[in-house]
Each structure stands twice: as structure tokens, then as C-alpha cells.
Amino acid sequence: NPIIGETFRCMWIHPKANSRTFYIAEQVSHHPPVSAFYVSNRKDGFCVTGSILAKSKFYGNSLSAILDGEARLSFLNRGEDYIMNMPYAHCKGIVYGPMTLELGGYVNITCEKTGYSAIIEFKLKPFLGNSNNVNQIFGKIKLGSEVLATLEGHWDGEVMINDKKTGVSEIFWNPTPEIRQQRLTRCTVLFDEQEDMESARLWQHVTRAIHNKDQNEATGEKFVLEEAQRKAAKQRKAQGEEWLPRLFEQDLITGEWQYKYSDTRPWDPLNDLVQYEKEGVIQSKVWHRTPMVRSASIISLSNQGGRKDNYKRQVSAPKRTRTKHSGQQSPESGCSSPELDRQDSSESEKQKTKHSARLRKKASDLSELLSAIDSIKHAQEEINRSLTALRSRTTASQSHSNHSLLQHRDYVVILFLILLQIIINSIFN
């Protein structure tokens, strides 16, 4: 099980949309073991929040890892929330036979606002089944009690959808080799930039022992972490302190774990610049500050003031001499979350206040500058329209004047020729 207070963070970069999807997770409880997570991509208009209570069942030659919990998928631009549970993982062949891993169970997806729902069954391979029975799914899409469509196929392959009204079947999902090649690379924080309670740093010695296939050392390093956790738990109990997660908080009414820094505002291209993450806090760089949108809830945090102190006294790995890990980075550790606003965590409150005042002044100056630029743009547009209208009138007037002048000239020439003809005729007569 993860250690209480253990965190993990990563992100995916979307080159086509020029956006980023951030993932934050924290072990918020040890008994029972609960992991809370939060996913956010405001620019693409979605976020996911939820928690998982890990359970296991042993059947002799097989084992099921049950993920008890729900996730809430929110589409920010539509204001729609889809609640869903998760399938369980089933491992066969623990004692004898080939070892396989499958997904099983029912996944229910519902949206209270629209009335749409779906149920998907992940079927395990039967005892006498063949390869076509592996990773099979069957599902229904409903509006209220009416079945709109059915799904059938393999979750790791082709899935067909059948419209019940028209009877037409078509491909709903098919991860072709071309699509698999476009799979986004997960970016993790560089090892030297991770905090002490982040997974890779916390379990580094256990991980190294496992890679070296040294079971004894792995067990010993794991025991060191567990003992540190038990000692910290006893100390909190003796001092009458309650564990408070750093990044998540629990709703007293629904029991849901919510990310403390969630931002469910739809993306505003005129005000939002970039979304980034720093020290587990997902933020947005904006032109002008706007109020954060948080769901109304009653949070089980009676001692808000002791949040920071309690976190400092949380369980941590035993102090060791840090060594540089060169050449041991995972291929997935190619980049880290951008840190645009670096601040020294030890600066005084006075310096922070001054810094905030400077930022507010800069924001005010920037706002005035933008307003002035907009006024200049509007004035230029008015001038351009006036010049265009004046140019059109001038051109029409010149054209009319030239046309009239040409007619007078013609009359003069004709009269001159007539007079000349009369004079010539007179002379000859």
C-alpha cells in the first residue's frame, strides 16, 4: 500500500491543441487505504476527480484487485458531470497455469443533467474460451429507460455500436497501429526536483533493490518505510493530532475527496494564458484575476490553522545522504511541469505582501495599457472608415467632373469645325 501522504504528479502535452493535461494523486488514508486523484485540462474543457479504496480477494489460483470508488468527469463548457465507477483487475494463474491479467465487472456511467446513462460489462475469459473471448465488453447507452444503442467488441481492439432506432452498425472505437503510435508520452517531474513524499523519491531504495533482483534488500527497505510510518502515527495519536492531507479534503455530506485547488471555470482565450502546476498545485496564468469556481460543500477540516504544521510532521522517509542519479531516469521522465512563478518558500510574510502589492499594481497598469490600446484600435478603425468613405466620394466626383469636361470639349471642337467649314465655303464661293 502507498504511504499516507505519498503523492504523485505527471502531465501529458497535447501538441495539436497546444494544451496540457495534469494528474495529481495523494494517499489520503491508510486505514482504509484510500487514494484521491485529480485530472485537469481547462483549455480542452474537462477535469476528473475521484478516489479509490483498494480491496483484494483471493480465490486460490486467482486474485482480484477491486477499485472501490467513483470518478466524476466534468465537461466545463457544458456544465455536465458524468459519474462512473471502475472495473476490477483479475489475475489468473498465481499457483499453476499461465499468468494472465484481465478487467472484469460492470461500469455504470450516469449524467443527472442530461438523463443519459451507460452500462458496460467487462467479461472475463471463460474456462473453455478461446482468444476471441479475451477483453470482451458489452454495453448499452440509454436515455432514461430507453435503450438508444448497444456496444460490443474488445476494449483493447475494435468496438462496434448499433443504433437501435435505425439498426445501423458502425465502428465506435478501433485503436489501429497508427492511433497507438500517436499515444501521448507521460511527462514526470525530474528526480532531483521531486519532494520527499513523491513516489519515485520515497520508494527509490526499494525500486533499486527490485531492479537488482535483491529480494532481501527490497524487504528491508520496505520495512524501514513502514516503521517510520508507524512511528509517526503513534506520535500523532499521543499528541491528539488528526492527519490532514495536503492537497485534498473530504466532503462531510457526500464523503467525496475533492482537490483543494480545483478550478472548473471554462477556458477564456481572452484572459487565460497557460495552465501549469507547481508543487502539486494546478494553476492558470491569466491576464486578470477572476474568482475561482468551487462546488459548495461542507469540508471536514475543523482545524484549518494547523494544516501546515501537521503536514510538516507527516511521515517521511528516513533521512539519507542524497546522491545524484545520473543516467537512471525513466524514459517517461523527459520533462516536468513548468514552474513559471518560482518563489522562495522561506520568504517572510512582509515580502509576500509587498510582492502581492507589486503584482496587483502591475496588473492594474497592464489593464490600463490594454484599455488604451483598445481605444487606439477603435480610433484607427474609425479613421480608416472615414478615409475610405472620403476616397470613394472623391473618386466619384472626379469621374463625374472628367465626364462633364469631356462633353464640353467635344462641343467646342464641333463648333470650331463647323465655323471653319463655313469660312472655307465662303472663301471658295
Side-chain angles (χ1 to χ4, degrees):
N1 294 332
I3 287 179
I4 190 169
E6 179 180 343
T7 61
F8 179 80
R9 51 184 172 142
C10 65
M11 75 171 181
W12 293 265
I13 299 175
H14 304 261
K16 294 182 179 179
N18 191 26
S19 65
R20 297 164 179 164
T21 297
F22 296 92
Y23 175 87
I24 302 292
E26 182 179 9
Q27 188 72 6
V28 294
S29 174
H30 187 67
H31 294 294
V34 178
S35 301
F37 60 90
Y38 181 77
V39 181
S40 178
N41 186 332
R42 288 187 56 231
K43 189 171 185 179
D44 286 346
F46 70 89
C47 69
V48 183
T49 184
S51 60
I52 296 173
L53 170 60
K55 300 179 180 178
S56 61
K57 288 185 178 181
F58 185 66
Y59 304 100
N61 192 43
S62 60
L63 176 70
S64 292
I66 301 172
L67 306 178
D68 188 8
E70 290 183 339
R72 180 186 298 270
L73 169 62
S74 301
F75 292 106
L76 309 183
N77 297 327
R78 302 178 187 176
E80 298 174 0
D81 292 338
Y82 291 81
I83 310 299
M84 66 194 74
N85 62 319
M86 285 150 277
Y88 65 87
H90 189 74
C91 182
K92 298 179 181 178
I94 296 177
V95 180
Y96 62 89
M99 185 174 291
T100 59
L101 183 63
E102 302 177 80
L103 295 179
Y106 290 87
V107 173
N108 294 279
I109 307 172
T110 58
C111 179
E112 183 178 357
K113 179 179 180 180
T114 62
Y116 284 103
S117 64
I119 180 170
I120 303 174
E121 179 186 7
F122 289 76
K123 296 183 69 68
L124 299 177
K125 178 184 175 183
F127 182 74
L128 299 177
N130 53 31
S131 59
N132 190 52
N133 300 121
V134 178
N135 298 334
Q136 275 189 312
I137 63 168
F138 297 92
K140 296 179 181 179
I141 300 175
K142 303 167 66 177
L143 178 58
S145 59
E146 179 187 1
V147 178
L148 302 179
T150 58
L151 299 169
E152 182 177 356
H154 300 80
W155 60 262
D156 62 339
E158 184 180 87
V159 177
M160 301 296 295
I161 184 171
N162 176 263
D163 191 322
K164 300 298 289 184
K165 186 174 292 186
T166 63
V168 177
S169 295
E170 58 183 356
I171 296 177
F172 179 75
W173 166 247
N174 186 19
T176 61
E178 291 77 14
I179 293 178
R180 293 176 186 270
Q181 290 178 357
Q182 297 175 10
R183 185 175 180 178
L184 300 177
T185 302
R186 185 183 67 180
C187 301
T188 56
V189 182
L190 296 176
F191 184 86
D192 292 336
E193 297 178 5
Q194 292 187 17
E195 299 176 351
D196 291 337
M197 292 301 293
E198 294 199 53
S199 296
R201 179 177 290 278
L202 186 65
W203 295 91
Q204 57 178 309
H205 303 291
V206 178
T207 304
R208 185 186 65 243
I210 293 175
H211 287 165
N212 295 335
K213 298 181 180 180
D214 191 337
Q215 188 67 30
N216 293 330
E217 183 183 357
T219 303
E221 294 292 349
K222 180 174 179 292
F223 179 78
V224 171
L225 294 177
E226 292 173 344
E227 278 298 305
Q229 184 181 27
R230 295 188 190 100
K231 182 179 179 181
K234 291 180 180 179
Q235 183 178 358
R236 288 196 301 271
K237 185 177 181 180
Q239 297 176 356
E241 296 177 354
E242 181 184 357
W243 169 261
L244 295 178
R246 185 170 69 97
L247 301 174
F248 292 84
E249 54 196 5
Q250 190 176 27
D251 191 305
L252 284 177
I253 298 177
T254 64
E256 295 181 353
W257 286 95
Q258 300 176 349
Y259 183 60
K260 294 180 181 179
Y261 309 97
S262 63
D263 186 357
T264 57
R265 295 172 300 162
W267 185 262
D268 183 0
L270 299 179
N271 188 47
D272 295 309
L273 299 177
V274 64
Q275 192 176 19
Y276 67 99
E277 176 270 327
K278 181 180 179 182
E279 297 178 356
V281 180
I282 301 175
Q283 310 170 57
S284 296
K285 193 80 171 179
V286 296
W287 282 109
H288 310 288
R289 293 186 179 276
T290 55
M292 302 285 284
V293 178
R294 297 291 305 276
S295 58
S297 61
I298 300 177
I299 305 302
S300 59
L301 294 178
S302 58
N303 185 14
Q304 297 284 342
R307 192 182 286 173
K308 184 174 180 181
D309 295 335
N310 286 338
Y311 179 69
K312 287 182 178 180
R313 290 193 290 268
Q314 71 182 11
V315 59
S316 60
K319 298 297 182 178
R320 303 175 186 267
T321 303
R322 291 186 181 178
T323 57
K324 293 186 178 180
H325 296 260
S326 58
Q328 295 182 3
Q329 291 290 339
S330 167
E332 296 178 342
S333 302
C335 58
S336 61
S337 302
E339 299 183 359
L340 302 183
D341 294 332
R342 291 188 176 273
Q343 292 184 354
D344 185 2
S345 59
S346 62
E347 66 177 341
S348 63
E349 292 297 329
K350 184 177 179 180
Q351 291 174 333
K352 290 182 179 180
T353 304
K354 290 182 179 180
H355 183 65
S356 300
R358 287 197 299 269
L359 288 178
R360 286 194 295 270
K361 187 177 184 303
K362 288 182 179 180
S364 176
D365 295 341
L366 182 60
S367 177
E368 294 177 359
L369 180 61
L370 289 175
S371 300
I373 292 175
D374 289 337
S375 301
I376 293 173
K377 286 183 178 179
H378 289 311
Q380 288 179 340
E381 291 175 357
E382 291 294 333
I383 292 173
N384 288 335
R385 284 195 290 268
S386 300
L387 289 176
T388 301
L390 181 61
R391 189 181 295 110
S392 299
R393 290 195 297 269
T394 303
T395 302
S397 176
Q398 288 179 351
S399 175
H400 179 72
S401 177
N402 290 338
H403 182 67
S404 300
L405 183 61
L406 183 62
Q407 288 180 345
H408 292 313
R409 188 183 301 166
D410 291 340
Y411 289 138
V412 171
V413 171
I414 291 172
L415 289 175
F416 176 76
L417 291 176
I418 292 174
L419 291 174
L420 182 63
Q421 185 67 33
I422 293 173
I423 295 173
I424 293 175
N425 289 337
S426 300
I427 292 174
F428 281 104
N429 291 333

